[in-house]
Amino acid sequence: MDDDATASTEGWRLRVTGLGVLRVPATWVDDTHEDAIAVVTSADPLTPTFSENVVLSAVPSQGSLTADSLAAIDETRRAQVWTHIVAVSPWAQGNRGRRMIFLYEIDRVVVAVAKYTFTSGDQRIDLTCSADLTTFTSLLPIFDEIAAFSELPNATRRDGTSQSGDQLPDLDAAATARFGESLESLASLRGSQVAPSPDYVLPAGSLDQLWSTKDRGLVSNATRSSEAGTALREAGLTSRFGGSTTKAREVIAPLQTATFRLASVRQSAGETQQWSCFAAPNGLALVRSQSTSVHATSPESLSIVGLPAAIARLIAWLPLDPYWAAIDEADRDRVFDDDLLNAKLRGERVPSPERLGPVLKECWSADWVSVQIGMHDSTDGLPLIQANGKYFHRDATEGGSLLRPVPSDTVFLGILDLVGRHRSHGAS
């Protein structure tokens, strides 16, 4: 880019900072934030609840990109609000670094963040780009362009070395070998991120009972004194006579008017976990989750939230945690027999096929889980297999199925795209 005029003509402008030159949308305006080197925010936000923004900041480096990435992850996890880290991936465009995607919820607004972390000299540079979850898919390409074309200090490659002689960060040996660069271990995040607490945890069948008594002021003593009846009364959802309360009517309202129905099923050997979202035209959604095994049915969890918060709860319920994913040439076009894959999903002992690539070979000995994410009464969805914390897209083909390793950000964006394709049918 030659000058500011060229940038403006192309819809971009240059924002000179003490650290370098940011290339930002021409219509975005400068702002301030404590401890930030530069802040740029949209002058015309896409939603009334959150104004998309970009924040450039710098802190002392931990001595290497891998250590700086882990430090950025740790800082995100220690936030004072609920957060969930969805993805971490190598960022090779422009400065070499990392791109972390995470969610946080504050004041009933769910924010999606793309955070680009670079190591340069004795500084860790963070470019933090935030948007309302509902607009993140459309804004991510803009955030990527800002990170790729801004003139920030060149990254210093010090893979795995420590400036101060401190202990080296834990690396993912398999991913490091596959990608050809030092990649930090993300194993500590697997299954350790806490989901938001549900509004209600009730005995199995409680929602059905609440629905069946929604228009009744008096129910039988047997129904009122059942485990579900007692729990509903104690939760303030039914009166002493078993009739539904105002709180109960708020819970079941999305069921009565739902125009958007999203569901996910996780099925492994001996257990089925179900997650459902029913969203009304006003955007309020009922979220329900429950698991069933050969031995018992768990209590059901219920929450009334906005649709973006429901999607965030799906991400946490899956859970979708960051991992390193790569496609192995050995398995790229390999067709697996469906009977073999289904036996593996049932938990049967299935010998490893010959000449598996390192990605599938690493996951073959793990327990497999079938993950289906889709819309009610629709074939539109994501057919996935989860193994060893990683996700594979299962593509039906002649003679069986292809297994395609997909990065966690691909799964996340696939869910947002699925929601976006169906939101126009009524949910806002």
Side-chain angles (χ1 to χ4, degrees):
M1 183 175 304
D2 296 327
D3 52 33
D4 288 6
T6 303
S8 298
T9 300
E10 297 175 353
W12 298 84
R13 70 179 177 91
L14 303 183
R15 165 72 157 90
V16 179
T17 77
L19 188 62
V21 180
L22 282 177
R23 181 177 181 267
V24 298
T27 58
W28 288 24
V29 298
D30 296 344
D31 203 343
T32 59
H33 188 278
E34 186 179 0
D35 298 327
I37 295 172
V39 179
V40 180
T41 187
S42 173
D44 186 18
L46 297 180
T47 70
T49 56
F50 187 83
S51 178
E52 47 270 15
N53 63 81
V54 173
V55 178
L56 179 65
S57 59
V59 296
S61 172
Q62 297 291 314
S64 68
L65 176 58
T66 52
D68 283 345
S69 176
L70 288 171
I73 289 171
D74 185 59
E75 290 167 11
T76 300
R77 297 192 70 189
R78 289 189 283 107
Q80 297 301 306
V81 295
W82 175 82
T83 62
H84 189 93
I85 298 173
V86 175
V88 178
S89 56
W91 180 254
Q93 294 89 336
N95 294 339
R96 297 185 64 87
R98 297 283 186 267
R99 184 182 74 176
M100 174 170 63
I101 293 177
F102 66 91
L103 307 177
Y104 73 86
E105 189 172 357
I106 184 169
D107 297 332
R108 303 180 70 84
V109 176
V110 179
V111 180
V113 180
K115 183 171 185 174
Y116 306 82
T117 295
F118 312 110
T119 297
S120 180
D122 60 356
Q123 288 184 309
R124 186 191 95 201
I125 301 169
D126 291 326
L127 184 65
T128 306
C129 307
S130 307
D132 185 284
L133 179 61
T134 59
T135 63
F136 186 72
T137 299
S138 60
L139 287 171
L140 184 58
I142 295 175
F143 294 159
D144 281 349
E145 283 204 47
I146 294 171
F149 296 109
S150 293
E151 299 174 9
L152 300 175
N154 291 328
T156 306
R157 285 198 73 168
R158 287 174 287 156
D159 295 341
T161 61
S162 179
Q163 208 173 32
S164 61
D166 295 337
Q167 184 177 0
L168 298 180
D170 291 334
L171 300 182
D172 186 317
T176 294
R178 288 197 298 275
F179 282 91
E181 65 174 288
S182 296
L183 296 177
E184 57 276 15
S185 173
L186 304 174
S188 62
L189 289 171
R190 189 180 303 160
S192 67
Q193 302 195 86
V194 178
S197 299
D199 294 338
Y200 305 98
V201 179
L202 302 167
S206 294
L207 183 60
D208 289 340
Q209 182 165 321
L210 195 62
W211 176 262
S212 68
T213 60
K214 65 182 185 299
D215 297 322
R216 298 164 61 184
L218 178 65
V219 299
S220 69
N221 182 62
T223 299
R224 297 200 309 270
S225 60
S226 67
E227 182 183 11
T230 300
L232 289 169
R233 185 171 62 255
E234 292 177 347
L237 296 173
T238 56
S239 67
R240 58 181 293 194
F241 299 111
S244 57
T245 63
T246 300
K247 290 172 63 177
R249 288 188 284 275
E250 292 174 353
V251 170
I252 63 176
L255 282 176
Q256 295 175 294
T257 60
T259 53
F260 178 95
R261 300 174 177 86
L262 179 67
S264 180
V265 177
R266 287 171 39 91
Q267 194 158 19
S268 59
E271 183 178 26
T272 299
Q273 298 174 302
Q274 296 178 306
W275 182 97
S276 298
C277 165
F278 303 87
N282 64 2
L284 275 183
L286 169 63
V287 174
R288 176 184 181 272
S289 62
Q290 188 174 37
S291 65
T292 303
S293 69
V294 294
H295 303 294
T297 299
S298 75
E300 54 189 32
S301 297
L302 304 176
S303 293
I304 295 295
V305 295
L307 182 57
I311 305 307
R313 280 153 177 76
L314 171 60
I315 299 300
W317 174 85
L318 285 171
L320 184 57
D321 296 325
Y323 54 86
W324 305 111
I327 297 176
D328 295 323
E329 290 299 327
D331 299 322
R332 181 184 296 273
D333 300 316
R334 185 169 189 162
V335 178
F336 291 87
D337 182 81
D338 283 325
D339 289 340
L340 178 77
L341 296 182
N342 292 335
K344 182 72 178 151
L345 288 166
R346 289 194 298 268
E348 298 177 11
R349 287 184 173 272
V350 179
S352 173
E354 296 181 358
R355 297 183 298 279
L356 275 183
V359 174
L360 272 174
K361 188 174 183 179
E362 178 185 316
C363 295
W364 196 265
S365 60
D367 294 332
W368 283 24
V369 179
S370 171
V371 180
Q372 301 286 330
I373 305 170
M375 307 303 300
H376 285 263
D377 302 323
S378 171
T379 58
D380 193 12
L382 299 174
L384 304 167
I385 289 176
Q386 185 189 49
N388 201 31
K390 299 179 175 64
Y391 282 85
F392 298 81
H393 198 282
R394 183 174 180 175
D395 299 318
T397 189
E398 185 177 355
S401 296
L402 298 169
L403 291 184
R404 177 165 50 91
V406 286
S408 52
D409 54 351
T410 300
V411 179
F412 173 59
L413 295 173
I415 293 171
L416 294 187
D417 285 342
L418 177 67
V419 171
R421 288 196 298 273
H422 291 266
R423 283 185 67 197
S424 60
H425 295 171
S428 60

